[in-house]
Amino acid sequence: MAPTTGVDGATRVRPGIELLLVLGVSLGQSAVYSILSIIDKLTINTPLNQQTTSMNNSVVPDRPWLDLAYQVAGLVFPLVPALFALYLLQRTGDRSRIGLDVRRPRFDVGWGFGLAAAIGVPGLALYFAARAFGLNTNVSPANLAANWWTVPVLVGAAVMNGLLEEIVMIGFWFVRGRQLDWPVWVVLVSSAVVRGSYHLYQGFGGFIGNLVMGLVFGLAYLRFKRVGPLVVAHVILDLVAFIGYALLAPLVDWL
């Protein structure tokens, strides 16, 4: 049976412990390192908008087979906390509440594209504005060596990010937050703040953009009670960022 609020101390404590443990091995840990990263960037003599943040980097570009092994490991292990969160939800009978299934594929894909469009264009404008005002680093989101597996790995990274972030920061966070008797607005805002925090390594534009994204995604989840459209939207946004950058960066000088 799922734990209910207001029954006893143990029932209330367990969702809180689970939240801390899942965050501690995943995005909460990333938030701490991201805060340390922005402190580092702000305390050197180079302006923030003259620094570059590189993502999806090759590890051993001179040995493609070993580089691929590193990339696959980097896609698989971050999914373990998401699976852990799903396992904990399953144990308490809450797994079906988050709407991560294939029962409504058209709904999930349709709203996923809509949310991606609503977030993507303003988010790109915010990134360029923040960079122009010196509030963000230059983000280089795709830096893999050119191999036959480059695009599949970037696709895998987009899928991994979408599943990890939306399962943990929306599905798991909202279910356990409500079981702790947090007001809905506290659940919504706290989730968005954590999401923004683990993107601070990019700069303040990354924080604000992902904070807004977290609020929009949280409101969508409260409306639809489904994580599915959020995963789709997140994957689309990352696909455009990763593959679009890989294709355009060699051709233009404004990225």
Side-chain angles (χ1 to χ4, degrees), residues 37-50:
S37 176
I38 192 65
I39 292 173
D40 175 43
K41 289 179 170 68
L42 291 172
T43 52
I44 61 177
N45 294 325
T46 304
L48 202 58
N49 62 353
Q50 293 180 24

Side-chain angles (χ1 to χ4, degrees), residues 34-77:
S34 191
I35 291 169
L36 295 174
S37 176
I38 192 65
I39 292 173
D40 175 43
K41 289 179 170 68
L42 291 172
T43 52
I44 61 177
N45 294 325
T46 304
L48 202 58
N49 62 353
Q50 293 180 24
Q51 300 179 46
T52 298
T53 298
S54 296
M55 303 162 57
N56 297 310
N57 301 302
S58 285
V59 180
V60 281
D62 58 322
R63 286 163 288 172
W65 61 272
L66 184 57
D67 201 13
L68 175 59
Y70 271 110
Q71 301 304 325
V72 171
L75 297 178
V76 172
F77 286 111

Side-chain angles (χ1 to χ4, degrees), residues 55-56 75 112-113 116 120 141-142 150-162 213 230-248:
M55 303 162 57
N56 297 310
L75 297 178
F113 272 94
T150 299
V151 171
V153 165
L154 292 175
V155 171
V159 173
M160 181 272 289
N161 289 339
M213 177 178 169
L230 312 182
V231 173
V232 172
H234 197 136
V235 171
I236 292 170
L237 290 169
D238 279 6
L239 284 175
V240 172
F242 298 164
I243 298 177
Y245 180 89
L247 295 175
L248 286 177

Side-chain angles (χ1 to χ4, degrees), residues 85-253:
L86 291 176
Y87 170 75
L88 293 173
L89 291 172
Q90 183 69 35
R91 281 180 58 86
T92 55
D94 298 309
R95 168 68 179 79
S96 62
R97 294 177 57 186
I98 69 172
L100 184 68
D101 50 53
V102 293
R103 291 181 302 166
R104 304 176 67 184
R106 292 184 180 179
F107 180 90
D108 291 346
V109 172
W111 275 101
F113 272 94
L115 286 168
I119 293 292
V121 176
L124 188 61
L126 174 63
Y127 163 70
F128 283 115
R131 202 173 73 175
F133 284 101
L135 299 174
N136 215 79
T137 63
N138 301 309
V139 179
S140 178
N143 299 278
L144 294 175
N147 292 289
W148 64 266
W149 47 259
T150 299
V151 171
V153 165
L154 292 175
V155 171
V159 173
M160 181 272 289
N161 289 339
L163 288 170
L164 173 62
E165 294 189 40
E166 305 317 323
I167 289 172
V168 172
M169 293 314 308
I170 296 294
F172 190 71
W173 186 281
F174 276 59
V175 169
R176 291 300 190 248
R178 291 300 290 145
Q179 289 170 343
L180 286 165
D181 280 339
W182 293 356
V184 173
W185 72 267
V186 171
V187 177
L188 174 66
V189 172
S190 59
S191 170
V193 169
V194 174
R195 186 189 294 261
S197 297
Y198 60 74
H199 287 91
L200 260 173
Y201 69 94
Q202 300 174 7
F204 296 104
F207 172 80
I208 295 171
N210 282 278
L211 173 69
V212 173
M213 177 178 169
L215 292 173
V216 172
F217 276 23
L219 289 171
Y221 177 75
L222 291 172
R223 173 68 176 83
F224 302 130
K225 298 298 188 292
R226 290 191 63 76
V227 165
L230 312 182
V231 173
V232 172
H234 197 136
V235 171
I236 292 170
L237 290 169
D238 279 6
L239 284 175
V240 172
F242 298 164
I243 298 177
Y245 180 89
L247 295 175
L248 286 177
L251 307 176
V252 299
D253 58 3

Side-chain angles (χ1 to χ4, degrees), residues 83 225 228 255:
L83 295 175
K225 298 298 188 292
L255 283 176

